[in-house]
Each structure stands twice: as structure tokens, then as C-alpha cells.
Amino acid sequence: MGLDIPGATGSRPDAVPLDESGAEDLLRGICFKTGPPRTVGVELEWLIHDRERPDLPVGRERLDSAVEAVRALPLSAALTFEPGGQLELSSQPAGSLMECVDTTAADLAAVRASLGAAGLAPVGLGVDPWQPPYRRLRERRYEAMEAALDRAGPAGRAMMCTSASVQVCLDAGEEEPGPLGYGRRWQLAHLLGAVLVAAFANSPFQQGRRTGWRSTRQSLWADLDPGRTLAPGSGRAPREAWAAHVLDTTVLCIRCEEGPWDVPEGLTFREWIRTGSPRPPVRADLDYHLTTLFPPIRPRGHLELRMIDAQSGPDGWLVPLAVATALFDDPEAAETVYRAVKPLAETAGSPAAPRNPLWTTAAREGLADPELRAAATVCFGAALPALERMGASGAVRATVAAFTDRYVARGRCPADDLTEPGDLTGRGLLADRSLLTGPSKPTGPVPPAGPDVPTGPVDGPALGPERLVAGPPTIPPSPPRPGKAASA
């Protein structure tokens, strides 16, 4: 009888051991699925805090109760919770930007109302500005992840338990060359990605102190296990580069039916195939291995843009979604932006993102860097007419225009609105409830000045029911939805 853990030996079809060439063929086939770009999705992570005192931790029983209420909502998106208790909504693939915006906005309105009934709110910051890392979910996946990432230092725990993001999912592109070709989109993503880091940087604090980074979240990703968070090296076509990168990255863990999962040190997936020890890997092991790689752009059949901090305000999340979709899927905008960001390759140099000078500057300086500001000005300028051509609503276009005027045109990013952690609590928090509740549809007006209340992968859904530490189990997660891309 085979083991219940996918990837274990047994008589099932997925228990056939992989060979090296078979694994490479699988990776080349499943990671860049081409076709005319027409679908879009978004994954939104939110920190959960008390509405009145966001600087204080939320108690276990209170969070358990709120989780149960949110899980009972009839949402379109898939709902999961991250190790530190962050809430994640992963939209269904949508046929248009507006479909994605409307369904996600409706889901968020329901989630905000449910949390609000418990005196809680979703907070949109890239890193929790107050709390130290504390892992609430006790599952073998997270036990193994913590053990593996601890080898590189404390950034892993901070990423798992205190970070939140907006992840935009777009089609890989067309097979043919050109502005919508998958090769061009792959190259564009790794240069434009730094511009998106800088424009949407929104995490200048950690544990009550200013860190010196506009995007502390991005600095954490750069400090993680370097192989696991790097983009593939240049010099190869995207499919070949990604296949080699996956096989040459170390295995985070080897799952088993009982007991803690093994956390080998220095064992790449390629070496695991060659040695077959402690058991031969199978297709399910390769699928799982893919979910433990955290590059800034992850090919999952589609492209998953993972570099954007969570955004404050009821409509903050839709700006990176709208801008990224416009710049990738509108051919005219894609060509304009490619020409604008191509010179950034010289600044990036040969090191892979996010550990190169371009991405480091984006995370530290935001749009205060003149080169990134100039590129962002072109990018946001191209996005607005592209959104009109794509049929985006006036409200969405107005929201993007307001962000452009408030930040990009002034060489600023959301982190520049955040002066001190204390400004996010007490009287400042009570000053503007709209930042906590938000309408069910985008409103369009410029967000209120100042960060009075932030509103707002690391990893994907757990393999079993999620449990909060030291307390009763929460209700099991909703069944997987077709097309949902796990965020880690």
C-alpha cells in the first residue's frame, strides 16, 4: 500500500520515479504555457490587526473566531492563511482586468465586513511594522520551511510570518517573438520588476524601527536562501534556464507519511534524482519542489509577479494589478515600456535579481533614485492610455492616475508617507475609517493623505487542515479552486 503523501513510493501512477531528462521535459512543458494573453489573476496577502490598536498582537481565540467567520463566506477567490496568520485571497483566472477587479473588490468587501464585526481589519503593508515573527500555523510544511530557511538567518521567519504582498498573475505570452512573446515578457518582467518594487515600496519599518529600506519586504527576500529566491541565470532561453534552475536548487524538504519531514542540507533536486536517496523522487515531488522556489517572477504556466508590497487604502491593491496588466498585455504599452526599461539592464549587471544593484537600489531608495523615477514615469504614463484601450472603468483609471500624481510624478512611493510607526496607531488610526472598511467597488479618488491605517507568499495552501498554534483547530480550508496558483 502506497503512502498518502504525494510523491511517496507506492503503486499509484504518480509513484513512477523521475529521471533527469523526464524532469527537464516536464519543466519545459508546464512552466511557460503560451497563447494570446487574455487572462489575469491577483493574489492579495493582508496582515490582520486590531482596528483600535494595530500595534498589539491579536489573541489566539479572537483570531480563531475571526478565521472561522471568514472561511464561511461565499467568496469567489480561494482563501488561505499564512504562517503568521496573514490572510490571502487568490482570485480565479479572469478573462479581463475589470472582471478580476470587480470579483476581487466584492470578495474584499465581504472579508472586511466579517473582520470588522470582530474589531479587526486587513492591513496593507509589506512588513508588519510592530510585531516580531511568530508562527501561528503548526504544520509539517512550515516546520520544514522554518528549519531550512533558518540556516540562512532570521529573514526566513520574518518573511513567513510578517510579510504581505500583491502578486499579479499574467499569461506567459505568445510563442512567437514580439512585444507579447513569452521571451520578451520574461525579459521585461525582470527589468520592470525593479520599477514595480520602487514604485510600490510600502514597508519601511520592522518591529517598531525604521530599517533604512523603502521595501523592507524586498530586502528580506534578498536575504533568504539565495538559490531559492534568485531568478535563473542569463544566457539561456527561458524554458531551458528555468528547468536548469529548478533542478539545481536545493530541496527544501522530503515529505513522508509520518513524523517530521526530512530537511536535507545541500541536496539539489538533480542530485536527488541521481542518487534516489532517501527514496526516488516522483512527479508529485517535482510539483511540490516548484512551490518552494521564491524567485521574483515565477513561471507557473503563467507568470507570477511576486515583488510588490501590499498596498494601503481600500483601493491600493488595484493599482499594481491594473498597471502591470496594462504594461504586459497592451502591445503598444509593452513596446514602449520595454524600450524604457531595457537600459536598466546595464545597472543590474550580471548578478541575478533580486541580488543585483538595480533591485537593491529599488528596495532601498524607491523612486528617489533618478533612473528608476525616469523609468517609472514612462511606465505609468504608458499604462493610463493602455487601460482606456483595454476597457478599464473610469474609476480604475482615476485611481491609477491619482497614484501616479501623488507618487510617481513626485519621485515618491507609499513608504515615503510613513513617517514613524507610532503614526499608524492611536489617534491617527481613528482619523479615517475608510482606510479600514473600503467600498465594494473601486472609488477612484486619491487616497487620503498619510498612512493613518494601512489596509491591505509566502507560501501556498497547506497540505492538510490548517491549525493555529496552542489552540483548537480552525475549520478546514476550502477545497482547491481550479486555476488557483499557490503563492509559494
Side-chain angles (χ1 to χ4, degrees):
M1 180 176 178
L3 298 177
D4 291 335
I5 295 295
T9 56
S11 58
R12 298 189 313 253
D14 72 347
V16 177
L18 282 174
D19 59 33
E20 207 167 324
S21 62
E24 290 173 343
D25 289 343
L26 280 170
L27 291 168
R28 285 192 290 264
I30 65 178
C31 291
F32 291 91
K33 295 179 181 177
T34 55
R38 59 182 179 272
T39 56
V40 58
V42 67
E43 301 178 26
L44 303 177
E45 296 172 346
W46 306 89
L47 307 168
I48 304 300
H49 282 281
D50 184 275
R51 287 171 58 96
E52 305 294 335
R53 291 297 306 274
D55 54 321
L56 299 180
V58 178
R60 172 186 55 79
E61 292 184 2
R62 186 182 180 195
L63 185 59
D64 273 0
S65 178
V67 165
E68 185 174 356
V70 171
R71 286 195 185 283
L73 296 173
L75 302 175
S76 171
L79 172 73
T80 53
F81 287 86
E82 303 294 348
Q86 309 98 305
L87 179 152
E88 179 180 0
L89 289 175
S90 300
S91 76
Q92 299 295 317
S96 70
L97 170 64
M98 286 310 304
E99 179 187 342
C100 185
V101 168
D102 287 344
T103 56
T104 302
D107 283 345
L108 278 173
V111 169
R112 285 189 176 111
S114 180
L115 291 174
L120 303 175
V123 173
L125 289 172
V127 170
D128 191 314
W130 304 288
Q131 302 304 319
Y134 175 71
R135 184 161 55 87
R136 295 176 179 269
L137 296 184
R138 298 297 180 185
E139 299 173 6
R140 291 188 291 176
R141 169 183 173 88
Y142 300 126
E143 300 284 350
M145 181 178 292
E146 185 175 88
L149 297 181
D150 275 352
R151 291 168 179 158
R157 295 193 182 206
M159 176 275 292
M160 290 174 64
C161 300
T162 66
S163 69
S165 69
V166 174
Q167 298 178 17
V168 181
C169 299
L170 301 168
D171 284 343
E174 299 175 345
E175 194 69 31
E176 295 76 17
L180 300 184
Y182 80 93
R184 171 72 71 83
R185 287 162 75 89
W186 182 243
Q187 184 181 9
L188 174 63
H190 287 88
L191 296 174
L192 178 59
V195 179
L196 298 178
V197 169
F200 296 110
N202 193 33
S203 51
F205 307 125
Q206 188 179 28
Q207 296 185 47
R209 296 185 296 275
R210 185 173 291 278
T211 64
W213 298 84
R214 258 71 167 199
S215 177
T216 302
R217 175 183 169 275
Q218 187 58 52
S219 76
L220 293 174
W221 282 109
D223 283 345
L224 291 181
D225 173 351
R228 196 168 306 285
T229 58
L230 284 181
S234 59
R236 294 186 183 183
R239 289 190 176 104
E240 286 66 34
W242 179 249
H245 178 72
V246 170
L247 295 183
D248 291 330
T249 300
T250 57
V251 174
L252 187 142
C253 62
I254 297 177
R255 296 172 294 167
C256 59
E257 186 178 43
E258 297 179 354
W261 294 352
D262 185 26
V263 184
E265 187 166 6
L267 177 68
T268 68
F269 202 93
R270 192 185 302 277
E271 291 166 340
W272 188 13
I273 292 174
R274 291 176 176 177
T275 63
S277 177
R279 59 170 175 79
V282 298
R283 166 66 186 271
D285 290 311
L286 181 60
D287 291 341
Y288 184 80
H289 178 59
L290 287 168
T291 73
T292 69
L293 306 184
F294 311 128
I297 298 92
R298 187 164 63 178
R300 304 288 302 274
H302 56 273
L303 299 182
E304 187 180 83
L305 309 184
R306 302 174 53 85
M307 74 292 295
I308 301 167
D309 280 0
Q311 298 296 292
S312 303
D315 302 335
W317 59 273
L318 73 82
V319 179
L321 169 63
V323 169
T325 304
L327 298 184
F328 276 86
D329 287 359
D330 180 83
E332 183 178 338
E335 188 64 33
T336 298
V337 169
Y338 179 72
R339 291 196 300 268
V341 301
K342 193 174 181 181
L344 298 178
E346 184 175 347
T347 302
S350 58
R355 288 191 165 198
N356 64 41
L358 176 66
W359 283 68
T360 300
T361 298
R364 188 183 295 279
E365 303 296 335
L367 294 187
D369 176 76
E371 188 177 28
L372 287 164
R373 177 182 180 177
T377 299
V378 174
C379 292
F380 279 74
L384 286 167
L387 287 170
E388 186 171 7
R389 290 191 293 269
M390 295 171 67
S393 70
V396 168
R397 286 183 280 124
T399 303
V400 173
F403 184 96
T404 304
D405 291 342
R406 179 173 176 174
Y407 295 116
V408 179
R410 303 177 186 181
R412 302 174 72 249
C413 61
D416 294 322
D417 277 351
L418 308 178
T419 55
E420 296 297 335
D423 294 341
L424 305 175
T425 63
R427 186 173 302 174
L429 175 64
L430 299 175
D432 194 334
R433 292 294 187 183
S434 69
L435 289 176
L436 286 173
T437 54
S440 60
K441 295 279 181 99
T443 59
V446 62
D452 295 329
V453 174
T455 60
V458 255
D459 5 59
L463 296 178
E466 296 170 347
R467 302 181 185 276
L468 298 181
V469 63
T474 60
I475 62 176
S478 304
R481 310 289 187 92
K484 178 194 180 290
S487 59

